[in-house]
Amino acid sequence: MKQNCKTRMSAGIRRFFVLLFLATFFVTGTFAASGEKTLAFKYKKGDNYRVLSTVNEDVKVNGRLHHRAEIINRVSARITDVDKKGRGFNEATFMTTENSRATDSNGMLTYGEEYESKYWRDARGIFEIGTEYFMPVVRDVPSLPEKPVKIGDTWTANGHEAHDLRRSFANNEPFIVPFTAQYQYLRDEEGVSSDSTHAKKTFQVLSVKYSLFYESPVPENAYELTDDFPVTTMGYSNQTIWWDNEKGQIDHYTEDFRIVMETYLGNQFDFTGKAHAEVTDFERTATDAHLAEVLEKVKELDLEDVSVTKSEKGLTISVENIQFKPDSAILMPSEKLKIKKIAKIIEKYPNDLLISGHTALAGTPESCQQLSEERADSVAQYLMQLGVRDKYHMFTQGFGARIPIASNATEAGKAKNRRVEITILDK
């Protein structure tokens, strides 16, 4: 059962891509009386947005605390179409990573598993999404009212959670849990936007609350089944949204929640915690113009063994022949100077960073993998010390010797393969 608990928790944490899937620009012309506002998502083809949520969660299994975790969820998306009804077509990449609080709290966040999803969302926030997509988990929240509203107004709307239970309960489609959410327009509040402009804004503060109680249909052949499956799902979510009606998107939100799932074989999984998230627009960096700009900076700063490439994931600065103390992840002083110069280039771009470590083919696959992870972490830690990003906007990944860019048969080839790549993330 212990192994099943872990996979269930991994599925459970993905519910926290809540509220997150937004864009900018589709003008609605609904008339509003004095003091009233028409709240609407606004979409513009070609817009990009990024959502980063942090969840602090306690997980209990059968009444006992299993672990406490900090979970980071990241989504990056692009609006690739806007139809005549004003709906935006989102092409999104979701990533989640979990750090147990029992681990070193100063460690960097590893880049987790990715999920692709495509869906329409209208001006009210209602989704149209195929059953092949398991992300986002919480859908149709917020559902904005069709009529203008003023401070103090309330409304209700249906929504649903779509849980990914493939690993733990062998569900091949999202496990749908319906609910009815209660909304209230609480107040207007002055604040600073979450995006890179940090502009002063007037936000519309919305309350969203819903309870869950859902009894799953029990298969007729349940007595023949050896796999467990959910029978009752219950809980609650209390959310506060800071809405930017000028942009037609959420700026940030907070949530406290509890989800309890009881299974056919008598197990109980209990997820309780708090979450907060920020939503930002960003400019894609993997363009010819940005590539030329960064290459010029590399030349200007006289950076040796540094190359720049663009890919689907973003713009990557590769530091080849990177020097550490022998068989360690401790950067040599010369490499710190090089990283410090690269930091000056990166500062211009507010996007999240992915630091990837690679080794030459030497030693066992396991030792190469560990060393690549440690070296990626070392470079990320140094970038954080320089103030380039905090730990919640920078992720690490190790590839061992699995992705060589040159032959390991020569010392020159090994030097090229011994590298750390810094990717300014577009997705």
Side-chain angles (χ1 to χ4, degrees):
M1 189 60 216
K2 186 174 182 180
Q3 183 177 359
N4 287 340
C5 292
K6 182 61 180 176
T7 55
R8 174 64 194 96
M9 291 164 207
S10 180
I13 63 177
R14 299 187 185 108
R15 73 175 300 274
F16 304 105
F17 288 106
V18 187
L19 322 172
L20 304 179
F21 317 102
L22 323 163
T24 37
F25 192 76
F26 175 79
V27 177
T28 58
T30 307
F31 172 79
S34 177
E36 292 185 331
K37 295 181 177 67
T38 299
L39 307 179
F41 285 90
K42 301 173 184 178
Y43 306 102
K44 182 180 178 182
K45 185 176 179 179
D47 273 352
N48 307 289
Y49 63 90
R50 190 269 287 151
V51 185
L52 194 70
S53 74
T54 304
V55 181
N56 291 296
E57 178 183 69
D58 289 355
V59 179
K60 292 181 180 179
V61 180
N62 297 329
R64 293 188 177 186
L65 181 66
H66 186 276
H67 75 276
R68 293 188 170 102
E70 181 179 57
I71 303 153
I72 308 300
N73 297 307
R74 182 181 183 275
V75 56
S76 61
R78 183 178 181 85
I79 306 301
T80 58
D81 195 12
V82 178
D83 68 10
K84 294 180 180 179
K85 297 179 181 179
R87 300 185 308 164
F89 191 69
N90 296 248
E91 296 190 10
T93 301
F94 298 79
M95 186 280 293
T96 185
T97 185
E98 177 178 351
N99 276 4
S100 170
R101 292 184 198 166
T103 63
D104 180 7
S105 61
N106 292 320
M108 304 305 297
L109 296 168
T110 57
Y111 198 77
E113 190 172 359
E114 287 187 351
Y115 300 84
E116 302 296 323
S117 188
K118 298 179 182 181
Y119 50 88
W120 289 98
R121 197 174 193 187
D122 69 13
R124 290 190 59 217
I126 307 301
F127 282 79
E128 182 181 320
I129 183 170
T131 57
E132 68 270 29
Y133 297 118
F134 290 82
M135 293 290 184
V137 175
V138 178
R139 302 173 183 181
D140 305 335
V141 176
S143 288
L144 302 173
E146 294 180 351
K147 296 180 180 180
V149 290
K150 62 183 183 300
I151 294 172
D153 282 354
T154 61
W155 67 95
T156 62
N158 293 329
H160 61 278
E161 296 190 356
H163 293 271
D164 184 353
L165 305 183
R166 286 174 291 182
R167 293 180 179 178
S168 49
F169 299 120
N171 286 42
N172 293 323
E173 291 186 355
F175 175 68
I176 303 299
V177 180
F179 59 81
T180 300
Q182 313 293 322
Y183 293 84
Q184 185 174 18
Y185 179 3
L186 298 176
R187 63 186 181 275
D188 287 344
E189 184 176 295
E190 299 295 321
V192 177
S193 67
S194 293
D195 64 23
S196 59
T197 66
H198 300 300
K200 291 184 177 180
K201 292 275 188 175
T202 299
F203 300 116
Q204 293 69 50
V205 184
L206 310 178
S207 169
V208 188
K209 298 181 178 182
Y210 61 84
S211 297
L212 297 173
F213 188 84
Y214 178 67
E215 294 183 319
S216 310
V218 177
E220 292 182 2
N221 64 334
Y223 67 93
E224 300 174 354
L225 300 177
T226 57
D227 292 332
D228 206 359
F229 56 87
V231 172
T232 305
T233 304
M234 47 196 163
Y236 64 83
S237 171
N238 298 324
Q239 303 162 9
T240 303
I241 300 170
W242 281 261
W243 176 261
D244 184 345
N245 207 39
E246 178 186 349
K247 295 179 73 172
Q249 68 177 34
I250 296 167
D251 185 84
H252 60 285
Y253 82 90
T254 62
E255 179 192 22
D256 62 87
F257 63 88
R258 185 182 182 194
I259 303 296
V260 179
M261 187 173 288
E262 297 177 343
T263 74
Y264 180 69
L265 296 181
N267 295 302
Q268 184 185 81
F269 302 92
D270 188 329
F271 308 87
T272 306
K274 297 181 180 296
H276 66 271
E278 60 183 34
V279 182
T280 59
D281 300 328
F282 68 90
E283 182 181 352
R284 292 194 172 250
T285 60
T287 65
D288 291 339
H290 286 309
L291 176 62
E293 183 179 55
V294 174
L295 284 171
E296 181 62 31
K297 279 290 184 182
V298 167
K299 182 179 179 181
E300 179 184 313
L301 294 170
D302 194 26
L303 288 166
E304 295 183 359
D305 298 319
V306 173
S307 60
V308 187
T309 57
K310 59 178 183 176
S311 68
E312 185 178 319
K313 194 173 285 292
L315 195 65
T316 297
I317 301 172
S318 181
V319 186
E320 299 166 6
N321 195 26
I322 189 165
Q323 299 296 307
F324 296 86
K325 291 185 178 180
D327 299 318
S328 79
I330 301 173
L331 280 164
M332 298 291 283
S334 59
E335 302 308 288
K336 283 190 173 184
L337 179 60
K338 188 179 293 185
I339 299 298
K340 188 176 289 188
K341 290 181 179 180
I342 291 172
K344 294 295 183 182
I345 300 174
I346 296 171
E347 284 175 346
K348 179 179 178 180
Y349 305 96
N351 305 18
D352 297 337
L353 301 179
L354 175 61
I355 317 300
S356 304
H358 301 262
T359 68
L361 187 59
T364 66
E366 293 77 15
S367 64
C368 288
Q369 179 63 33
Q370 182 176 345
L371 190 59
S372 68
E373 293 173 2
E374 291 173 350
R375 289 178 170 179
D377 191 86
S378 179
V379 171
Q381 290 273 10
Y382 188 58
L383 286 170
M384 187 170 66
Q385 290 175 25
L386 294 172
V388 176
R389 297 288 189 279
D390 63 32
K391 67 177 290 185
Y392 298 103
H393 295 82
M394 186 159 45
F395 304 89
T396 64
Q397 206 169 30
F399 291 96
R402 298 193 304 276
I403 311 177
I405 57 173
S407 171
N408 280 297
T410 66
E411 288 303 316
K414 288 180 180 179
K416 291 183 73 66
N417 292 332
R418 188 172 56 248
R419 68 195 189 279
V420 170
E421 297 175 340
I422 303 169
T423 300
I424 306 168
L425 287 170
D426 287 350
K427 61 178 296 185

